[in-house]
Structures are given as structure tokens and as C-alpha cells.
Amino acid sequence: MTKFKTLSTLLFLAICTLCCKQEVQKTTSSISSPSKEIEIDFSLLQKGIPSYVVKYKNKKVIDTSTLGFTLKDQINLSEGFEILETKIRSKNEDWEMPWGEQRVVQNHYNEIVVLLKETQAPNRLLNLYFRAYDDGVAFRYEFPKQEGLNEVIILDENSQFNLTDNHTTWWIPGDWDIYEHLYTESSFTDIDALSKRGHKALAQSNIPENAVNTPVTMRTQDGLHLSFHEANLTDYSGMTLKVDKENLMMTSELVGSDRLGYKVKRTLPFSSPWRTIHISKDAAGLIASNLIVNLNEPNKLGNVDWFTPMKYVGIWWEMHLNKSSWDLKSGKHGATTENAKKHIDFAAQNNIGGVLVEGWNTGWEHWIGFEDREGVFDFVTPYPDYDLEGVAAYAKEKGVQIIMHHETSAAPRTYDQQLDTAYALMNKLDIRSVKTGYVGKIIPKGEFHHGQWMVNHYRRVLETAAKYNIAINAHEPIKATGIRRTYPNAISREGLRGQEFNAWAPDGGNPPNHLSTIAFTRMLAGPIDFTPGVFNIKMDPYRSENQINTTLAQQLALYVVIYSPIQMACDLLENYENQPAFQFIRDVGVDWEQTKVLNGEVGDFVTIARQERKTGNWFVGSITDENKRDITINFDFLEKDKKYEAIIYKDGEDADWNDNPTSIQMENKEITNTSVEKFSLAAGGGLAISIKEKE
């Protein structure tokens, strides 16, 4: 009898399983990447709930995860759907970056579009797009035009990312106001964003719950690397990812508006940003990916040759050293005509294309820490000791570009009112790029740097600047999400804990592992204006209690490792005098034909080779964390049957980021594409190589 019951039970379970499989088959659609290694499966679960699964080599990397929205004054858009239609399509194209890490980008993907409709009133429509690339996956929501629904107010987007294990994670907290936190390495279940509240060095910060900002990077137990981010953030709030430790789950948590009481308000039709997952068998593959830019629309500006990628010096680091000041009343104003011309002369003599001048305009006496910051800055009126037109003319005569500076003090409405006037002045003076800043809590109160209201402001700045042939380098920005493809005047941005923290941060500055983490996290989003190039590592006599926590060789290597089409040599000009190693900064490119990520591990080390456009010269940069290590470089990326001269800048034998950071050695060596060389990196050290074909 027992045997009969057991057989009956097994038969019943088999029938149930078959029925379930048949039900899933009716509602499941799948696509694979061009290589067939990555797969996305879409299905409607019980109650018509949309869900997806991601696999890599037939193994789940994202388990069943549901999708939907919590809406204001409407039934939530999360269940009760049926599939009207599915469309599968593919695309394989090449497009050119006007500037970038490489000239030609392949955009190759397979896509499935799922058209959904609610089975009950109000019978709303929702479309889901899923794309599979060889370097990752992406999905987005589309609210199509439909009868009876003209607008949605989103209180929450509920996109789930169901992890398959307790992965090693590199994260910063889901701060609604700033990205300038150090990355923490921990297991997923040890993420504690709330512990990052109250950092004394941050001018603005709001961490409402245990969530992380993106990109957030993970490594699985078997070495697979994942990174979660978003692409094409347009008229929407920035996404953080809420952490559910118990269920190994992340859920999208949009930045809200305390002033307006919602996350996103949109008129139909519209599409959300893409939710992205980089997938790579190793860490190097994350950096090599073009997933984020490929998910953005093509160039809307056309020819942007009015912007030239360049290195620059400027009146900036001296303020952080407290040698000079932004404001005139301090008695040590830095942005004087004399000082600007000195920097222009230096740039012209040293293959430096630009000069940044901060503190040139009126308003700096009342710019931070005040509630009444609206109307403080005037973006066309210089201080009396700065001849704006004269300096611009002098720079043009010397073949140097002036980089304008607009600090808004987080009063964006004041900036909005002056955008056209300020950019028209820049255009008149042939000034083609501006560094913008948004230090402080956003005015009006209740808005945040990363919410929809400010996302739209940042985009308005880009679009207005484009009308005047102006490029934007944004500080205190919204995150990079690949919009540089669509608006290539979005040349760079901060959006991380930068070099200036080394000058005055109360926690001792950026630790030696900071940039070997940044390369695999923040840099996956887009270009970084980090401002490398400090030669006076100990900052004597100005900031002797602080220091740069790298060796001099690493400061050189950063010009290759940390990508930006503008790269600052940020130190005081006198610290470059009679310094043989400064030759690397004179020589290094900023605009690349191609990029090769040679090796690396998140938070430990990374080596990158980049080939300069037009000249064909190669440059290699390698950096390490607080651990000294040996690395091997295979130069097989060079052309066959050619000889090259390599100028090598490496840590001295006794170099150490703390004990002897300026110890550096230089040597010349002939290499070919069959050369394999071993190098030793000091603790906190680096390696920089300039490679030119021998005549």
C-alpha cells in the first residue's frame, strides 16, 4: 500500500511539473547574446507578474526577478498582465566616437520586445525591452501612448535583481546627493550604507536607507564579474539599489523629491532608462565593455570638432593647498590676470592644451554654507583683478584654450537664468569648455542632486551649451550613463571622491587602493575628471599633515588608467620644474584609437594600454593598491615586424607610497610585439610607459 501511495505521489508530482512547464512555455520568451553565452528569459509568473532570469553559459547569474511600478493615485502596475505580442530583432553596427577610449565601437545585440496588457480594467499597456550583448544585458520599460492614460506619477520602480549567492561586492552608499564616498569591499550581506552617514568632508549628503549607488560591482565565487548600473538617464530619477540581505536581492530605489512628494512624473509616451548588468569572465572585461554607451542614442550634435581633447593646468590646486583663495576679500586671490598668464605660458611651452581658471567671477565671498545662495554668482562679471577678455585673447595668441569655471553653489535656478548669457560670452571669447560645480544642498529645499528635477537641469545645461559650441565638465554631477554618445559635448565629470580629498580630508585622504577600485566601478559609467599629476606628494609646506597616498610613478600612470578626454596636471607649476618625469605628462595622449585592458583585479591592480589617435603612439599605465607586486606585460598589442622605443617610468627600488613616494626610475628600451617584460610595482605604486615606433 505504501509503495502504491509513493508511486501515485510521484506520478501526481510529475503531472504537476509537466503542467507547470507547459504553463511556463506558453508565457516564456528567450534571447541570447550573439556569442550565445548570455541568455535572458522573460516569463509571466502566477497572477501575470512580469519576471526575468539571466544566465551565463547556462548557469543562472540573476534568478527569477520581478518587474513593476508603484504609482500615485492609480492601481500599481505590477501584475495581471497578458502578452499581446513579442518581437525579436537583432542589430550589428559600427559607430565612431568623436573622442573616446576607442574610435570605432561595435554595437551588436539581440533584443526581445514584450508587449503587455492588463487583463482587467483599466487595461493599461506596458512594453518591456530586453537586450543581450556579449558583455552584458539590459532592460527598460516603455509606457506607450494609450487611451485613458496620459500621465503617470511614479512612487517607486520595483525592478528586482535576485542574486544567486553572497557575492563579494564593491559599493558606495545610495546617497541621493553625492557620489564622493570611498568604495567598501564586503560580502553582499555585510553592506551597511547607513554607517556612511555624517561624513565631515561632504558638503551635502542624504542616505535614506540601506541602498547602494551604481555602478556597483560584484565577483562571484567562481570568478564571474558583474556590475549593475543604468544607461540613458533622461527625464527620470537616478537609481539606487536597495539591499535585501536576507533574500540576496537588490531592488531599484529611485531618488525622490521631498518637495514634490514623488520619484518621477512623466507624460506618455516615454521610456525609462536602461537597467544594465555587465557580465564578464574576468575583471578586465568590465573595463573593456561598451555596454553603457551602446544603449544610448546616436550623436545628435553632429560634428563637434570645435572641442579638442587636451591636457590642462590651472588655478585650482593652490586653493586646496590654501596657498591662495577663490574669493577676492581673502587677500590671496588666485585668479589674477598675472597668474592666469603665467599658467598660459607654461601650457604653451609644455604641450598642454588648456588652462582652467577658478575664482575669476564675483560671488565667492558668499557661496557656501549660506541659505540665501540664489543670485550669489554672476557668470559674466569678473573680479577687478582679472581681465577676462585680455586673458582669453592672450591664451588664443599662445594657442592655449581657456577652460571656464561656473560654480553654481547648488543654486541651479540662478544658473538656469544665466545659461544663454554666460555661454554667449564664452562663444564670443572662443572659450569652448566649462567646468561646472554644484557644491552644497540643492536650492529649492527638498530637491536632491540625483532626482528627476536635477537630472533635467543637467540635461538642459548640456543642450544649451551645445547651441553655443560649449563642452561641459560637470562636478557634483548626476552619474554618467553614456549620454556622451548622444551629446558628445558631455566630455567628463567628477562623480567620485577626487584628488582634492588628499589635500584636506579629515580621514587621511584616498587610500592606496582607491583608484584600483575606481577603475572597475565608477569608471564603467564614463570619463572621470580626477585631476592627477601631483609631484609634491607630501604637499610641503602647505599641507604637511596630509599627503597623496600613491607614489609619483602612479600619478603618471593615472593619465592612462583613469580615462578622460581632458586630463589635468594639477600640481603647482613650480613642482614640475626640473623634473625629468614630467616628460611623460608632456607626451601622453588623451584621445585614443583603441584601448587594451591587459590585466587587473578589482581593488588590487590594473594595467591598461591605449593607442593615441593620429600619432599611433602607445601608452601603458599600471597601478597597484597598498601591496607591492610584480606584473608581466605582453606587448603583443603592437604591430608585427616593427621596432619601438619604450620610455619607462617606474617606481624606484626603495619606493613606497608613504615612506619614499617620489623615488622613480626612468629607462629607455627597444621592444617589439614579441616582447614580454616583468615589472615591480611598489606599495601604492605604478608604472607608466611611452611607446613610439622607431624610425
Side-chain angles (χ1 to χ4, degrees), residues 218-248:
M218 301 182 185
R219 184 179 62 221
T220 69
Q221 295 294 325
D222 55 4
L224 192 69
H225 286 72
L226 311 172
S227 190
F228 300 81
H229 191 42
E230 58 181 316
N232 194 355
L233 175 53
T234 298
D235 197 5
Y236 208 84
S237 284
M239 180 183 70
T240 68
L241 293 173
K242 188 165 50 179
V243 173
D244 180 348
K245 299 181 184 181
E246 183 177 350
N247 295 303
L248 296 179

PDB file of all heavy atoms in Angstrom, residues 218-248:
ATOM      1  N   MET A 218      30.459  43.312  -8.531  1.00  0.00           N
ATOM      2  CA  MET A 218      30.492  42.086  -7.731  1.00  0.00           C
ATOM      3  C   MET A 218      31.352  41.017  -8.402  1.00  0.00           C
ATOM      4  O   MET A 218      31.516  41.016  -9.618  1.00  0.00           O
ATOM      5  CB  MET A 218      29.074  41.528  -7.541  1.00  0.00           C
ATOM      6  CG  MET A 218      28.130  42.479  -6.854  1.00  0.00           C
ATOM      7  SD  MET A 218      26.496  41.739  -6.607  1.00  0.00           S
ATOM      8  CE  MET A 218      25.614  43.159  -5.933  1.00  0.00           C
ATOM      9  N   ARG A 219      31.866  40.137  -7.567  1.00  0.00           N
ATOM     10  CA  ARG A 219      32.595  38.956  -8.057  1.00  0.00           C
ATOM     11  C   ARG A 219      31.982  37.722  -7.408  1.00  0.00           C
ATOM     12  O   ARG A 219      31.822  37.667  -6.186  1.00  0.00           O
ATOM     13  CB  ARG A 219      34.076  39.044  -7.719  1.00  0.00           C
ATOM     14  CG  ARG A 219      34.901  37.875  -8.286  1.00  0.00           C
ATOM     15  CD  ARG A 219      36.382  38.022  -7.948  1.00  0.00           C
ATOM     16  NE  ARG A 219      36.603  37.993  -6.513  1.00  0.00           N
ATOM     17  CZ  ARG A 219      37.455  38.780  -5.860  1.00  0.00           C
ATOM     18  NH1 ARG A 219      38.167  39.679  -6.512  1.00  0.00           N
ATOM     19  NH2 ARG A 219      37.592  38.692  -4.545  1.00  0.00           N
ATOM     20  N   THR A 220      31.641  36.734  -8.225  1.00  0.00           N
ATOM     21  CA  THR A 220      31.039  35.514  -7.714  1.00  0.00           C
ATOM     22  C   THR A 220      32.125  34.571  -7.199  1.00  0.00           C
ATOM     23  O   THR A 220      33.324  34.790  -7.408  1.00  0.00           O
ATOM     24  CB  THR A 220      30.217  34.808  -8.805  1.00  0.00           C
ATOM     25  OG1 THR A 220      31.121  34.288  -9.803  1.00  0.00           O
ATOM     26  CG2 THR A 220      29.245  35.772  -9.473  1.00  0.00           C
ATOM     27  N   GLN A 221      31.689  33.492  -6.568  1.00  0.00           N
ATOM     28  CA  GLN A 221      32.636  32.523  -6.017  1.00  0.00           C
ATOM     29  C   GLN A 221      33.487  31.879  -7.101  1.00  0.00           C
ATOM     30  O   GLN A 221      34.647  31.526  -6.861  1.00  0.00           O
ATOM     31  CB  GLN A 221      31.871  31.436  -5.241  1.00  0.00           C
ATOM     32  CG  GLN A 221      31.156  31.937  -4.004  1.00  0.00           C
ATOM     33  CD  GLN A 221      32.103  32.430  -2.926  1.00  0.00           C
ATOM     34  OE1 GLN A 221      33.194  31.877  -2.744  1.00  0.00           O
ATOM     35  NE2 GLN A 221      31.708  33.472  -2.218  1.00  0.00           N
ATOM     36  N   ASP A 222      32.933  31.736  -8.309  1.00  0.00           N
ATOM     37  CA  ASP A 222      33.701  31.114  -9.391  1.00  0.00           C
ATOM     38  C   ASP A 222      34.387  32.133 -10.296  1.00  0.00           C
ATOM     39  O   ASP A 222      34.829  31.810 -11.391  1.00  0.00           O
ATOM     40  CB  ASP A 222      32.821  30.172 -10.214  1.00  0.00           C
ATOM     41  CG  ASP A 222      31.580  30.855 -10.765  1.00  0.00           C
ATOM     42  OD1 ASP A 222      31.437  32.084 -10.572  1.00  0.00           O
ATOM     43  OD2 ASP A 222      30.744  30.165 -11.380  1.00  0.00           O
ATOM     44  N   GLY A 223      34.453  33.395  -9.847  1.00  0.00           N
ATOM     45  CA  GLY A 223      35.263  34.387 -10.554  1.00  0.00           C
ATOM     46  C   GLY A 223      34.548  35.198 -11.604  1.00  0.00           C
ATOM     47  O   GLY A 223      35.165  36.042 -12.259  1.00  0.00           O
ATOM     48  N   LEU A 224      33.253  34.974 -11.803  1.00  0.00           N
ATOM     49  CA  LEU A 224      32.498  35.800 -12.743  1.00  0.00           C
ATOM     50  C   LEU A 224      32.327  37.197 -12.154  1.00  0.00           C
ATOM     51  O   LEU A 224      32.128  37.354 -10.948  1.00  0.00           O
ATOM     52  CB  LEU A 224      31.133  35.171 -13.006  1.00  0.00           C
ATOM     53  CG  LEU A 224      30.328  35.743 -14.172  1.00  0.00           C
ATOM     54  CD1 LEU A 224      30.995  35.393 -15.496  1.00  0.00           C
ATOM     55  CD2 LEU A 224      28.897  35.221 -14.139  1.00  0.00           C
ATOM     56  N   HIS A 225      32.409  38.206 -13.019  1.00  0.00           N
ATOM     57  CA  HIS A 225      32.288  39.590 -12.563  1.00  0.00           C
ATOM     58  C   HIS A 225      31.004  40.206 -13.107  1.00  0.00           C
ATOM     59  O   HIS A 225      30.696  40.078 -14.302  1.00  0.00           O
ATOM     60  CB  HIS A 225      33.496  40.406 -13.008  1.00  0.00           C
ATOM     61  CG  HIS A 225      34.741  40.102 -12.230  1.00  0.00           C
ATOM     62  ND1 HIS A 225      35.436  38.924 -12.380  1.00  0.00           N
ATOM     63  CD2 HIS A 225      35.400  40.816 -11.275  1.00  0.00           C
ATOM     64  CE1 HIS A 225      36.473  38.921 -11.565  1.00  0.00           C
ATOM     65  NE2 HIS A 225      36.475  40.051 -10.880  1.00  0.00           N
ATOM     66  N   LEU A 226      30.283  40.879 -12.227  1.00  0.00           N
ATOM     67  CA  LEU A 226      29.035  41.552 -12.565  1.00  0.00           C
ATOM     68  C   LEU A 226      29.125  43.004 -12.125  1.00  0.00           C
ATOM     69  O   LEU A 226      29.752  43.313 -11.109  1.00  0.00           O
ATOM     70  CB  LEU A 226      27.841  40.899 -11.851  1.00  0.00           C
ATOM     71  CG  LEU A 226      27.692  39.384 -11.933  1.00  0.00           C
ATOM     72  CD1 LEU A 226      26.576  38.915 -11.014  1.00  0.00           C
ATOM     73  CD2 LEU A 226      27.414  38.953 -13.362  1.00  0.00           C
ATOM     74  N   SER A 227      28.482  43.884 -12.873  1.00  0.00           N
ATOM     75  CA  SER A 227      28.378  45.273 -12.430  1.00  0.00           C
ATOM     76  C   SER A 227      27.005  45.801 -12.844  1.00  0.00           C
ATOM     77  O   SER A 227      26.592  45.639 -13.994  1.00  0.00           O
ATOM     78  CB  SER A 227      29.484  46.142 -13.016  1.00  0.00           C
ATOM     79  OG  SER A 227      29.488  47.420 -12.390  1.00  0.00           O
ATOM     80  N   PHE A 228      26.325  46.431 -11.904  1.00  0.00           N
ATOM     81  CA  PHE A 228      24.957  46.896 -12.105  1.00  0.00           C
ATOM     82  C   PHE A 228      24.955  48.416 -12.230  1.00  0.00           C
ATOM     83  O   PHE A 228      25.523  49.123 -11.392  1.00  0.00           O
ATOM     84  CB  PHE A 228      24.080  46.471 -10.927  1.00  0.00           C
ATOM     85  CG  PHE A 228      24.016  44.993 -10.723  1.00  0.00           C
ATOM     86  CD1 PHE A 228      25.030  44.323 -10.048  1.00  0.00           C
ATOM     87  CD2 PHE A 228      22.946  44.253 -11.212  1.00  0.00           C
ATOM     88  CE1 PHE A 228      24.982  42.950  -9.851  1.00  0.00           C
ATOM     89  CE2 PHE A 228      22.889  42.874 -11.023  1.00  0.00           C
ATOM     90  CZ  PHE A 228      23.903  42.223 -10.350  1.00  0.00           C
ATOM     91  N   HIS A 229      24.269  48.925 -13.256  1.00  0.00           N
ATOM     92  CA  HIS A 229      24.243  50.373 -13.477  1.00  0.00           C
ATOM     93  C   HIS A 229      22.992  50.716 -14.283  1.00  0.00           C
ATOM     94  O   HIS A 229      22.039  49.923 -14.342  1.00  0.00           O
ATOM     95  CB  HIS A 229      25.524  50.806 -14.200  1.00  0.00           C
ATOM     96  CG  HIS A 229      25.731  52.283 -14.257  1.00  0.00           C
ATOM     97  ND1 HIS A 229      25.494  53.118 -13.186  1.00  0.00           N
ATOM     98  CD2 HIS A 229      26.149  53.097 -15.269  1.00  0.00           C
ATOM     99  CE1 HIS A 229      25.773  54.365 -13.530  1.00  0.00           C
ATOM    100  NE2 HIS A 229      26.152  54.377 -14.782  1.00  0.00           N
ATOM    101  N   GLU A 230      22.978  51.875 -14.892  1.00  0.00           N
ATOM    102  CA  GLU A 230      21.881  52.279 -15.765  1.00  0.00           C
ATOM    103  C   GLU A 230      22.448  53.087 -16.923  1.00  0.00           C
ATOM    104  O   GLU A 230      23.537  53.657 -16.838  1.00  0.00           O
ATOM    105  CB  GLU A 230      20.830  53.078 -15.002  1.00  0.00           C
ATOM    106  CG  GLU A 230      21.316  54.340 -14.317  1.00  0.00           C
ATOM    107  CD  GLU A 230      20.187  55.041 -13.554  1.00  0.00           C
ATOM    108  OE1 GLU A 230      19.076  55.150 -14.106  1.00  0.00           O
ATOM    109  OE2 GLU A 230      20.421  55.476 -12.413  1.00  0.00           O
ATOM    110  N   ALA A 231      21.684  53.123 -18.014  1.00  0.00           N
ATOM    111  CA  ALA A 231      22.115  53.829 -19.217  1.00  0.00           C
ATOM    112  C   ALA A 231      20.986  54.716 -19.722  1.00  0.00           C
ATOM    113  O   ALA A 231      19.808  54.397 -19.575  1.00  0.00           O
ATOM    114  CB  ALA A 231      22.532  52.837 -20.313  1.00  0.00           C
ATOM    115  N   ASN A 232      21.391  55.841 -20.325  1.00  0.00           N
ATOM    116  CA  ASN A 232      20.447  56.804 -20.907  1.00  0.00           C
ATOM    117  C   ASN A 232      19.465  57.304 -19.857  1.00  0.00           C
ATOM    118  O   ASN A 232      18.245  57.160 -19.987  1.00  0.00           O
ATOM    119  CB  ASN A 232      19.714  56.206 -22.104  1.00  0.00           C
ATOM    120  CG  ASN A 232      19.006  57.273 -22.932  1.00  0.00           C
ATOM    121  OD1 ASN A 232      18.980  58.443 -22.569  1.00  0.00           O
ATOM    122  ND2 ASN A 232      18.422  56.864 -24.042  1.00  0.00           N
ATOM    123  N   LEU A 233      20.001  57.921 -18.810  1.00  0.00           N
ATOM    124  CA  LEU A 233      19.174  58.522 -17.759  1.00  0.00           C
ATOM    125  C   LEU A 233      18.627  59.851 -18.283  1.00  0.00           C
ATOM    126  O   LEU A 233      19.335  60.855 -18.308  1.00  0.00           O
ATOM    127  CB  LEU A 233      20.009  58.718 -16.496  1.00  0.00           C
ATOM    128  CG  LEU A 233      19.365  59.448 -15.320  1.00  0.00           C
ATOM    129  CD1 LEU A 233      18.036  58.810 -14.937  1.00  0.00           C
ATOM    130  CD2 LEU A 233      20.318  59.469 -14.130  1.00  0.00           C
ATOM    131  N   THR A 234      17.363  59.846 -18.704  1.00  0.00           N
ATOM    132  CA  THR A 234      16.735  61.002 -19.343  1.00  0.00           C
ATOM    133  C   THR A 234      15.373  61.262 -18.709  1.00  0.00           C
ATOM    134  O   THR A 234      14.516  60.366 -18.689  1.00  0.00           O
ATOM    135  CB  THR A 234      16.560  60.761 -20.854  1.00  0.00           C
ATOM    136  OG1 THR A 234      17.854  60.576 -21.457  1.00  0.00           O
ATOM    137  CG2 THR A 234      15.871  61.925 -21.524  1.00  0.00           C
ATOM    138  N   ASP A 235      15.170  62.476 -18.185  1.00  0.00           N
ATOM    139  CA  ASP A 235      13.885  62.893 -17.606  1.00  0.00           C
ATOM    140  C   ASP A 235      13.348  61.838 -16.651  1.00  0.00           C
ATOM    141  O   ASP A 235      12.188  61.413 -16.739  1.00  0.00           O
ATOM    142  CB  ASP A 235      12.880  63.194 -18.721  1.00  0.00           C
ATOM    143  CG  ASP A 235      11.695  64.025 -18.212  1.00  0.00           C
ATOM    144  OD1 ASP A 235      11.713  64.430 -17.030  1.00  0.00           O
ATOM    145  OD2 ASP A 235      10.756  64.257 -19.001  1.00  0.00           O
ATOM    146  N   TYR A 236      14.177  61.429 -15.716  1.00  0.00           N
ATOM    147  CA  TYR A 236      13.865  60.351 -14.784  1.00  0.00           C
ATOM    148  C   TYR A 236      14.760  60.563 -13.569  1.00  0.00           C
ATOM    149  O   TYR A 236      15.726  61.329 -13.624  1.00  0.00           O
ATOM    150  CB  TYR A 236      14.171  59.015 -15.466  1.00  0.00           C
ATOM    151  CG  TYR A 236      13.375  57.818 -15.007  1.00  0.00           C
ATOM    152  CD1 TYR A 236      12.112  57.556 -15.526  1.00  0.00           C
ATOM    153  CD2 TYR A 236      13.901  56.920 -14.087  1.00  0.00           C
ATOM    154  CE1 TYR A 236      11.389  56.427 -15.144  1.00  0.00           C
ATOM    155  CE2 TYR A 236      13.183  55.789 -13.694  1.00  0.00           C
ATOM    156  CZ  TYR A 236      11.928  55.549 -14.231  1.00  0.00           C
ATOM    157  OH  TYR A 236      11.225  54.424 -13.853  1.00  0.00           O
ATOM    158  N   SER A 237      14.482  59.893 -12.480  1.00  0.00           N
ATOM    159  CA  SER A 237      15.349  59.982 -11.305  1.00  0.00           C
ATOM    160  C   SER A 237      16.485  58.974 -11.391  1.00  0.00           C
ATOM    161  O   SER A 237      16.321  57.890 -11.968  1.00  0.00           O
ATOM    162  CB  SER A 237      14.537  59.715 -10.029  1.00  0.00           C
ATOM    163  OG  SER A 237      13.752  60.823  -9.700  1.00  0.00           O
ATOM    164  N   GLY A 238      17.612  59.327 -10.798  1.00  0.00           N
ATOM    165  CA  GLY A 238      18.709  58.389 -10.692  1.00  0.00           C
ATOM    166  C   GLY A 238      18.302  57.183  -9.854  1.00  0.00           C
ATOM    167  O   GLY A 238      17.481  57.283  -8.931  1.00  0.00           O
ATOM    168  N   MET A 239      18.868  56.036 -10.173  1.00  0.00           N
ATOM    169  CA  MET A 239      18.514  54.791  -9.500  1.00  0.00           C
ATOM    170  C   MET A 239      19.564  54.390  -8.481  1.00  0.00           C
ATOM    171  O   MET A 239      20.748  54.300  -8.803  1.00  0.00           O
ATOM    172  CB  MET A 239      18.351  53.664 -10.527  1.00  0.00           C
ATOM    173  CG  MET A 239      17.980  52.315  -9.911  1.00  0.00           C
ATOM    174  SD  MET A 239      17.885  50.964 -11.137  1.00  0.00           S
ATOM    175  CE  MET A 239      19.627  50.755 -11.567  1.00  0.00           C
ATOM    176  N   THR A 240      19.151  54.168  -7.244  1.00  0.00           N
ATOM    177  CA  THR A 240      19.959  53.436  -6.284  1.00  0.00           C
ATOM    178  C   THR A 240      19.395  52.017  -6.209  1.00  0.00           C
ATOM    179  O   THR A 240      18.322  51.728  -6.758  1.00  0.00           O
ATOM    180  CB  THR A 240      19.932  54.089  -4.893  1.00  0.00           C
ATOM    181  OG1 THR A 240      18.617  53.953  -4.326  1.00  0.00           O
ATOM    182  CG2 THR A 240      20.293  55.564  -4.986  1.00  0.00           C
ATOM    183  N   LEU A 241      20.091  51.118  -5.533  1.00  0.00           N
ATOM    184  CA  LEU A 241      19.641  49.733  -5.404  1.00  0.00           C
ATOM    185  C   LEU A 241      19.516  49.386  -3.927  1.00  0.00           C
ATOM    186  O   LEU A 241      20.516  49.366  -3.190  1.00  0.00           O
ATOM    187  CB  LEU A 241      20.616  48.782  -6.099  1.00  0.00           C
ATOM    188  CG  LEU A 241      20.676  48.915  -7.625  1.00  0.00           C
ATOM    189  CD1 LEU A 241      21.799  48.060  -8.194  1.00  0.00           C
ATOM    190  CD2 LEU A 241      19.340  48.535  -8.263  1.00  0.00           C
ATOM    191  N   LYS A 242      18.296  49.152  -3.509  1.00  0.00           N
ATOM    192  CA  LYS A 242      18.010  48.810  -2.116  1.00  0.00           C
ATOM    193  C   LYS A 242      18.457  47.376  -1.838  1.00  0.00           C
ATOM    194  O   LYS A 242      18.221  46.469  -2.642  1.00  0.00           O
ATOM    195  CB  LYS A 242      16.515  48.983  -1.853  1.00  0.00           C
ATOM    196  CG  LYS A 242      16.090  48.845  -0.423  1.00  0.00           C
ATOM    197  CD  LYS A 242      14.680  49.396  -0.191  1.00  0.00           C
ATOM    198  CE  LYS A 242      13.683  48.863  -1.191  1.00  0.00           C
ATOM    199  NZ  LYS A 242      12.328  49.394  -0.939  1.00  0.00           N
ATOM    200  N   VAL A 243      19.097  47.173  -0.693  1.00  0.00           N
ATOM    201  CA  VAL A 243      19.716  45.894  -0.357  1.00  0.00           C
ATOM    202  C   VAL A 243      18.802  45.074   0.556  1.00  0.00           C
ATOM    203  O   VAL A 243      18.381  45.544   1.621  1.00  0.00           O
ATOM    204  CB  VAL A 243      21.077  46.128   0.329  1.00  0.00           C
ATOM    205  CG1 VAL A 243      21.655  44.816   0.845  1.00  0.00           C
ATOM    206  CG2 VAL A 243      22.043  46.807  -0.634  1.00  0.00           C
ATOM    207  N   ASP A 244      18.487  43.867   0.118  1.00  0.00           N
ATOM    208  CA  ASP A 244      17.755  42.893   0.933  1.00  0.00           C
ATOM    209  C   ASP A 244      18.728  41.758   1.229  1.00  0.00           C
ATOM    210  O   ASP A 244      18.911  40.843   0.417  1.00  0.00           O
ATOM    211  CB  ASP A 244      16.530  42.390   0.161  1.00  0.00           C
ATOM    212  CG  ASP A 244      15.705  41.364   0.943  1.00  0.00           C
ATOM    213  OD1 ASP A 244      16.189  40.860   1.979  1.00  0.00           O
ATOM    214  OD2 ASP A 244      14.582  41.053   0.500  1.00  0.00           O
ATOM    215  N   LYS A 245      19.369  41.831   2.385  1.00  0.00           N
ATOM    216  CA  LYS A 245      20.412  40.857   2.723  1.00  0.00           C
ATOM    217  C   LYS A 245      19.847  39.447   2.884  1.00  0.00           C
ATOM    218  O   LYS A 245      20.456  38.469   2.451  1.00  0.00           O
ATOM    219  CB  LYS A 245      21.110  41.272   4.016  1.00  0.00           C
ATOM    220  CG  LYS A 245      21.802  42.614   3.977  1.00  0.00           C
ATOM    221  CD  LYS A 245      22.467  42.898   5.312  1.00  0.00           C
ATOM    222  CE  LYS A 245      23.103  44.273   5.349  1.00  0.00           C
ATOM    223  NZ  LYS A 245      23.768  44.544   6.637  1.00  0.00           N
ATOM    224  N   GLU A 246      18.676  39.340   3.506  1.00  0.00           N
ATOM    225  CA  GLU A 246      18.109  38.032   3.802  1.00  0.00           C
ATOM    226  C   GLU A 246      17.813  37.244   2.538  1.00  0.00           C
ATOM    227  O   GLU A 246      18.053  36.034   2.469  1.00  0.00           O
ATOM    228  CB  GLU A 246      16.828  38.205   4.624  1.00  0.00           C
ATOM    229  CG  GLU A 246      16.189  36.899   5.042  1.00  0.00           C
ATOM    230  CD  GLU A 246      14.971  37.108   5.922  1.00  0.00           C
ATOM    231  OE1 GLU A 246      14.739  38.246   6.367  1.00  0.00           O
ATOM    232  OE2 GLU A 246      14.241  36.118   6.153  1.00  0.00           O
ATOM    233  N   ASN A 247      17.319  37.931   1.521  1.00  0.00           N
ATOM    234  CA  ASN A 247      16.939  37.253   0.281  1.00  0.00           C
ATOM    235  C   ASN A 247      17.955  37.429  -0.840  1.00  0.00           C
ATOM    236  O   ASN A 247      17.681  37.045  -1.988  1.00  0.00           O
ATOM    237  CB  ASN A 247      15.576  37.773  -0.181  1.00  0.00           C
ATOM    238  CG  ASN A 247      14.466  37.417   0.773  1.00  0.00           C
ATOM    239  OD1 ASN A 247      14.246  36.247   1.076  1.00  0.00           O
ATOM    240  ND2 ASN A 247      13.770  38.435   1.296  1.00  0.00           N
ATOM    241  N   LEU A 248      19.122  38.002  -0.538  1.00  0.00           N
ATOM    242  CA  LEU A 248      20.167  38.239  -1.538  1.00  0.00           C
ATOM    243  C   LEU A 248      19.574  38.939  -2.763  1.00  0.00           C
ATOM    244  O   LEU A 248      19.751  38.513  -3.909  1.00  0.00           O
ATOM    245  CB  LEU A 248      20.833  36.921  -1.956  1.00  0.00           C
ATOM    246  CG  LEU A 248      21.592  36.166  -0.863  1.00  0.00           C
ATOM    247  CD1 LEU A 248      22.168  34.867  -1.407  1.00  0.00           C
ATOM    248  CD2 LEU A 248      22.707  37.026  -0.265  1.00  0.00           C
TER     249      LEU A 248
END
